[in-house]
Amino acid sequence: MGVKKITNNFSITIATVNGSGSQTANVTLLRALFKMGIPVSGKNLFPSNIQGLPTWYTIRLSKEGYIARRDEQEIVVAMNPASFAKDLASVAPGGAFYYSDEIKLAINRTDISAYPMPTKQLARSSDVSPNLRDYIANMVYVGVLVQMLGIRMEAIEQALNFHFKGKEGPIKSNLGVIRAGAEWAAQNLTKSDPYSVEQIDQTEGMIMADGNTAGALGAIYGGIQFAAWYPITPATSLAESLNVYLPQLRRTPEGKNTYAVLQAEDEIAAIGMAVGAGWAGLRSMTSTSGPGISLMTEYTGLAHFAEVPIVVWDVQRMGPSTGLPTRTAQGDLTATYYLGHGDKQHVILLPGSVQECFEFGWKAFDLAERLQMPVFVLSDLDLGMNQWMTKPFEYPEAPMDRGKILWEEDLDKLNGMWSRYKDMDGDGIAYRTVAGNRHHAAAYFTRGTGHDENAKYNEEAGNWEANMLRLKKKYDTARNLVPKPVIKKAAGATIGLITYGSSDAATREAQVLLKQSGLKTDLLRLRALPCTREVFDFVKKFDRIYIVEANRDGQMRQILSATMPEQAPKFRSAAHSDGLPLTARWVKETILAQEEKA
């Protein structure tokens, strides 16, 4: 009796060495599978040093469309002797283990299929120069998997053409090694595992992208005029994407740039520049990760109190301190929410997909200028640097919201009588002017110290308190402006789930697994802080609510408990942080274990 065939529903993990050039091979596989219409996601686990340590790349195929990380690895490709034993042990029973035949270590498992591959031999016979053979050897395992899994060679060619931008030389060289690997496998390997792929049509109309590129494009389409940044993993590629696409998209017909991007000497300088540009009236932003957020604290406080609109992207990684720079987490939430000294909270956008990284890329500017305050976008390494299947990005239909700006004609109508920090409309937001306004009454003095409604220095206790209450009112106004949550209901739900950001993929899949286990849930995905009315209404519906997030201490639970203290006893924490994205199985098992004790 033959083994039951498993099609388009498994994970492939490729174990190599950092700096070996394997990323091209791995992304070629990912894009080829995507071109075959199979829903996929790709996650890169790499060390923070430059070269030499083990790295793993996992491709998940899911005919149901799930894109979160899985605990199981049905197919493992081992190219690194240092991690060979670990990689062999990680293969799920009944799975397949492909390995470079130059690794002369024992295969001590009988419950899997093991396939050697002559990677060095086939690389030496290729037509590339000797200094490139170690890199192109990775294409051997691509060819072997093409043959053994049934990947269409036409899809491989499309993926190579995309990666090398149509350059004939590298496409021909890499394709030649892939074909050689496939031919060798056809002649020398007998398939004994159940895993294969077939052409389907579940990626029609979709694209593959990472969140950092999407966020940069969203900022460009949102009218970004100034960005300052300092390199830091995993946020660097966001600023680098600005430098790639701005020259293509933001030049006048005469070739003049309509933007400025500056690499600062450190994070303090970067946000200082961004605050100055925002004060002058430019759509201004910076991007960083946790350590950079710490350095930006004082300037963030200045922007909040002086009411200067800026956007700050925080692509989160593992802390504290340097932590694990190339691992993912959602550990900056409380730090960013309360960033600085004194009484304040910040507006935070929480993209849960690559598409939302694009959307919030432009929407953050609208919110910052409408509210005249810093707006933070909290992504993370998993969402920002990994490849995700996503709907195409949608061009903003609404015009830019520049907020309450007074121009020359506005000041003429007011006879020049206006107050920079006076609430005229009852929403806490005052009117402002920007540099370049030629009206004689446009000027005001910006300061980070006490001031009255007319921006004059003032230390009166009553005046200070009134100004702080106005700023709080402005934050309450934000509740009606920030993106509303996404709610997924289930008939007969008895408990609620709340999640946000990249943890949504695992939580949505876990919701299905929980239902299969007999526990029906409603799921709310937060997209912003402060909480909108929908969040308060959702919380009131249930006696128990599990908050799923990728940090140790349940930081969203802490914030929601402080926001609605009367509801705090309902909240249960499903928080976990080991540097890896959450899995649906972990979420399910954690919630079921707590439900047994409820």
Side-chain angles (χ1 to χ4, degrees):
M1 184 175 179
V3 179
K4 184 178 180 181
K5 189 176 181 181
I6 299 173
T7 306
N8 297 346
N9 203 27
F10 52 89
S11 291
I12 306 169
T13 293
I14 301 153
T16 56
V17 175
N18 199 34
S20 64
S22 60
Q23 188 71 354
T24 301
N26 299 337
V27 174
T28 296
L29 281 169
L30 179 77
R31 290 193 175 277
L33 294 166
F34 175 75
K35 289 289 186 181
M36 290 182 63
I38 306 167
V40 290
S41 62
K43 298 192 185 299
N44 192 22
L45 181 62
F46 59 103
S48 57
N49 74 325
I50 301 301
Q51 191 168 338
L53 289 181
T55 182
W56 294 269
Y57 189 87
T58 298
I59 300 172
R60 179 178 184 181
L61 299 77
S62 171
K63 57 188 178 184
E64 292 90 2
Y66 297 131
I67 53 178
R69 183 177 73 89
R70 292 173 68 243
D71 299 283
E72 300 81 11
Q73 300 174 104
E74 288 83 359
I75 297 175
V76 173
V77 179
M79 299 287 287
N80 182 9
S83 64
F84 188 87
K86 178 180 179 180
D87 299 328
L88 178 61
S90 71
V91 185
F97 184 67
Y98 296 85
Y99 64 98
S100 178
D101 64 2
E102 66 172 357
I103 303 176
K104 307 299 183 182
L105 297 174
I107 308 292
N108 54 9
R109 292 185 61 178
T110 59
D111 61 337
I112 61 173
S113 300
Y115 306 108
M117 304 177 296
T119 53
K120 293 291 185 182
Q121 176 187 334
L122 292 179
R124 282 194 297 269
S125 63
S126 67
D127 61 356
V128 301
S129 60
N131 61 321
L132 293 178
R133 286 174 184 166
D134 286 343
Y135 295 100
I136 208 164
N138 295 301
M139 290 298 173
V140 173
Y141 66 73
V142 175
V144 172
L145 291 177
V146 164
Q147 172 63 31
M148 299 296 281
L149 295 180
I151 301 172
R152 291 175 53 245
M153 192 63 77
E154 297 90 337
I156 291 289
E157 291 184 48
Q158 290 175 327
L160 288 173
N161 188 67
F162 178 89
H163 182 82
F164 290 110
K165 298 179 173 59
K167 296 177 182 177
E168 185 176 349
I171 293 173
K172 182 179 178 181
S173 297
N174 283 276
L175 189 58
V177 175
I178 293 171
R179 290 188 187 279
E183 291 169 4
W184 181 90
Q187 296 171 11
N188 295 277
L189 296 180
T190 301
K191 187 173 178 63
S192 56
D193 67 88
Y195 301 102
S196 64
V197 299
E198 290 180 1
Q199 180 82 35
I200 53 177
D201 61 356
Q202 290 178 236
T203 62
E204 186 70 30
M206 306 290 277
I207 62 173
M208 294 294 296
D210 64 85
N212 283 354
T213 301
L217 286 169
I220 293 170
Y221 280 84
I224 184 175
Q225 294 166 297
F226 180 84
W229 66 291
Y230 183 77
I232 183 171
T233 302
T236 296
S237 62
L238 197 156
E240 289 175 338
S241 293
L242 290 175
N243 283 324
V244 169
Y245 292 106
L246 276 168
Q248 302 175 38
L249 300 171
R250 291 287 299 282
R251 280 181 174 164
T252 67
E254 297 75 30
K256 182 179 179 180
N257 293 338
T258 60
Y259 64 89
V261 179
L262 297 177
Q263 182 176 331
E265 61 265 36
D266 55 32
E267 289 89 348
I268 300 173
I271 195 169
M273 294 176 185
V275 171
W279 173 86
L282 301 183
R283 291 205 141 187
S284 174
M285 68 166 277
T286 185
S287 58
T288 189
S289 193
I293 289 291
S294 302
L295 292 171
M296 294 178 176
T297 301
E298 188 171 1
Y299 267 119
T300 301
L302 172 63
H304 176 86
F305 190 68
E307 300 178 64
V308 176
I310 59 167
V311 171
V312 180
W313 276 78
D314 176 7
V315 187
Q316 300 168 91
R317 69 191 206 186
M318 284 286 286
S321 187
T322 303
L324 299 174
T326 59
R327 300 293 188 270
T328 195
Q330 294 175 308
D332 295 349
L333 184 64
T334 51
T336 306
Y337 186 64
Y338 296 111
L339 188 66
H341 50 279
D343 293 319
K344 69 177 186 299
Q345 298 84 38
H346 291 294
V347 172
I348 296 176
L349 301 185
L350 301 164
S353 65
V354 168
Q355 186 182 31
E356 283 187 347
C357 285
F358 176 86
E359 177 189 348
F360 292 175
W362 62 263
K363 193 165 285 184
F365 285 121
D366 282 359
L367 285 168
E369 293 207 292
R370 168 56 56 183
L371 295 165
Q372 297 176 35
M373 63 166 59
V375 170
F376 289 83
V377 186
L378 261 62
S379 177
D380 58 43
L381 184 146
D382 184 29
L383 187 55
M385 292 188 68
N386 285 325
Q387 291 288 318
W388 298 75
M389 188 176 69
T390 178
K391 295 179 181 178
F393 307 140
E394 298 177 1
Y395 191 90
E397 295 182 356
M400 289 186 230
D401 185 351
R402 299 305 309 275
K404 298 182 179 182
I405 297 181
L406 298 175
W407 301 105
E408 286 87 346
E409 58 271 23
D410 301 313
L411 292 172
D412 282 337
K413 293 176 184 177
L414 295 171
N415 295 318
M417 302 299 294
W418 72 291
S419 298
R420 170 64 184 99
Y421 295 116
K422 185 174 183 178
D423 181 6
M424 300 294 293
D425 304 318
D427 58 4
I429 306 169
Y431 287 81
R432 65 177 175 133
T433 58
V434 296
N437 189 321
R438 292 184 172 88
H439 197 282
H440 69 276
Y444 65 92
F445 194 84
T446 305
R447 64 175 78 247
T449 52
H451 52 256
D452 63 15
E453 291 178 340
N454 296 308
K456 293 181 179 179
Y457 186 77
N458 187 289
E459 293 189 3
E460 293 293 330
N463 183 77
W464 176 270
E465 187 171 25
N467 191 49
M468 292 296 289
L469 289 172
R470 180 182 63 81
L471 292 175
K472 188 177 189 306
K473 182 187 290 185
K474 184 166 66 167
Y475 188 77
D476 290 335
T477 296
R479 296 185 195 280
N480 301 315
L481 300 175
V482 298
K484 295 181 179 180
V486 174
I487 300 175
K488 185 179 179 182
K489 296 183 178 181
T494 56
I495 66 171
L497 307 178
I498 293 177
T499 193
Y500 61 95
S502 63
S503 293
D504 176 58
T507 310
R508 278 189 290 113
E509 186 178 351
Q511 187 183 26
V512 176
L513 298 179
L514 287 168
K515 183 178 179 181
Q516 294 171 358
S517 299
L519 185 62
K520 297 179 180 180
T521 64
D522 280 358
L523 170 61
L524 180 144
R525 177 167 65 85
L526 270 169
R527 300 203 297 158
L529 292 172
C531 297
T532 65
R533 175 50 50 192
E534 290 80 3
V535 181
F536 290 88
D537 293 341
F538 181 89
V539 169
K540 291 177 182 177
K541 287 176 56 179
F542 299 101
D543 294 329
R544 291 186 305 284
I545 295 173
Y546 292 90
I547 302 172
V548 182
E549 50 190 320
N551 53 61
R552 186 191 68 183
D553 296 334
Q555 294 183 20
M556 184 61 78
R557 180 190 178 187
Q558 295 172 21
I559 290 173
L560 294 182
S561 295
T563 300
M564 46 189 98
E566 71 285 356
Q567 305 290 346
K570 296 181 175 182
F571 297 140
R572 306 283 190 275
S573 185
H576 181 64
S577 185
D578 60 0
L580 303 176
L582 298 182
T583 68
R585 188 174 78 179
W586 180 89
V587 175
K588 180 199 75 170
E589 291 176 353
T590 297
I591 291 173
L592 288 178
Q594 293 192 50
E595 279 295 290
E596 290 179 2
K597 300 175 183 178

